[in-house]
Amino acid sequence: IRYAERIQAAALPDMQEIGKILKEYFILYRPRDIVSGDFYWIAKRKNKIIIAVVDCTGHGVPGGFLSMLGVSFLNEIIVKDGEIIPSLILDDLRFKVKQLLSNTERDDHMKDGMDISLCVIDRVSMTMEYACAFNSIIVVRGDEAIELLADKMPIGIHTKEEEHFTNYMFELKHDDKIYMFTDGVIDQFGGTKNKKFSKKSFKELLVSIHNENIAKQKISINNTMKKWQGNHDQTDDILVLGFKI
C-alpha cells in the first residue's frame, strides 16, 4: 500500500510545475486510506490553464486504481488529442470510462465512475470556461461565495449518459479566489451533533479566510476540518484546490 501511494504521488502533477502555472495556490490532499480515489490534474496549453479536480468511486486501493486510469485518460484527451473545451473533455472522458466499465462482468458498475469539476482559465481574456459532473466550483469575490453549479450526472454509466455536458463561461476579476473540491469536505461527519460539515459551512469558511495568504488558507481549512472531525473517523478522501487570479 505504501508503495502504491508513492506510485500514485508520482502520477500527480509536480508541485514545482504547478507553481509555475498557478503562482498563488494551495492543495489540501488528505486520502482516507493512504491511497486516494481523489486526484487533481493541471496543465498549460498556449495561454490556457486546464485544471481538473476529480473524485473517483471509492477510496483506498479501488479508488486509487480508478484515479490512475483517470489521469491516463485526461493525458490522452488533453495532451495527445489537444482538446481544451471543458464540456467536450468531459464527454470524451465519460466515453472512455464507459468503455472501461462495459468490459467488466459486474452487474453493479452503474455505481462506478467519477465526479469532476474542470475549468480552463484564460488570463489574457480573463475568462474561465468550465464544465462539471456533480462537483461544483466556488468563486469568492469580495465577501460573496459564488457557486458555479454542476450537471447532475457523473462520468460513467447513468440514466442521462446520452446527454452532453454543459459548457459555461464565467468572467473573471483580479483577486478572485477559485476553489475546486471533492465531497469529502462537505460530507465529513463531526461537530457536537455528528452531522455533515455541509456546503453552506464550507462557503462560510471560504469567505471568512479569503483575505488570508493563499498558503495560510490551506492551514485554516485543514485545522477547521480536524476540529470538526474531532474523534470521528475521516469519512472519505478530502481534496481542496484553491488559487488566486
Side-chain angles (χ1 to χ4, degrees):
I1 296 296
R2 290 294 179 188
Y3 188 55
E5 178 189 26
R6 288 169 55 191
I7 294 171
Q8 186 177 50
L12 295 172
D14 180 76
M15 288 298 178
Q16 289 188 337
E17 292 302 313
I18 296 174
K20 293 177 184 177
I21 295 171
L22 292 181
K23 311 299 183 186
E24 296 183 77
Y25 80 99
F26 72 82
I27 297 174
L28 175 60
Y29 188 57
R30 282 177 44 189
R32 198 194 87 163
D33 298 314
I34 302 175
V35 180
S36 180
D38 291 358
F39 72 93
Y40 50 92
W41 195 99
I42 300 170
K44 188 172 184 180
R45 292 293 173 270
K46 297 181 180 179
N47 65 320
K48 295 186 176 182
I49 300 168
I50 307 148
I51 307 167
V53 166
V54 190
D55 182 355
C56 300
T57 303
H59 38 76
V61 173
F65 272 119
L66 197 50
S67 73
M68 294 292 286
L69 287 166
V71 169
S72 177
F73 289 156
L74 285 173
N75 283 333
E76 185 175 343
I77 294 166
I78 299 170
V79 178
K80 182 180 176 183
D81 298 341
E83 188 62 77
I84 53 172
I85 299 173
S87 60
L88 297 184
I89 294 171
L90 264 56
D91 285 342
D92 288 349
L93 182 60
R94 178 171 58 187
F95 177 77
K96 292 181 182 296
V97 170
K98 283 171 59 181
Q99 272 193 319
L100 171 72
L101 297 179
S102 66
N103 289 332
T104 69
E105 296 181 357
R106 292 172 48 217
D107 56 7
D108 62 346
H109 55 243
M110 283 191 70
K111 299 176 183 177
D112 296 332
M114 305 172 187
D115 297 340
I116 179 173
S117 55
L118 187 144
C119 66
V120 176
I121 306 286
D122 189 328
R123 292 187 184 271
V124 176
S125 64
M126 287 295 286
T127 58
M128 177 174 71
E129 280 187 85
Y130 68 93
C132 302
F134 278 126
N135 286 355
S136 59
I137 299 172
I138 294 175
V139 180
V140 175
R141 178 177 292 171
D143 292 325
E144 181 185 9
I146 305 165
E147 184 176 3
L148 307 181
L149 298 177
D151 288 329
K152 294 191 179 300
M153 52 184 178
I155 302 296
I157 297 172
H158 189 262
T159 55
K160 295 183 179 180
E161 65 186 46
E162 299 304 321
E163 296 182 19
H164 293 289
F165 285 97
T166 309
N167 204 71
Y168 295 99
M169 182 73 75
F170 184 81
E171 298 292 330
L172 296 169
K173 292 186 178 181
H174 288 290
D175 293 328
D176 280 347
K177 285 88 173 182
I178 299 172
Y179 303 91
M180 303 167 72
F181 55 97
T182 58
D183 62 8
V185 177
I186 59 178
D187 287 346
Q188 176 59 51
F189 283 94
T192 56
K193 297 182 179 179
N194 193 23
K195 291 185 176 181
K196 291 183 178 181
F197 188 65
S198 83
K199 190 177 290 182
K200 179 176 180 290
S201 296
F202 187 54
K203 287 180 180 178
E204 291 172 352
L205 172 61
L206 295 178
V207 169
S208 72
I209 66 171
H210 82 278
N211 284 323
E212 294 179 0
N213 173 278
I214 202 76
K216 189 178 177 183
Q217 291 185 30
K218 173 182 177 178
I219 298 171
S220 296
I221 295 172
N222 194 40
N223 288 343
T224 299
M225 295 309 301
K226 284 184 175 180
K227 183 178 179 181
W228 175 262
Q229 183 179 335
N231 295 323
H232 302 287
D233 292 334
Q234 184 171 324
T235 307
D236 197 357
D237 299 318
I238 290 175
L239 172 58
V240 183
L241 189 157
F243 58 98
K244 182 180 177 181
I245 297 298

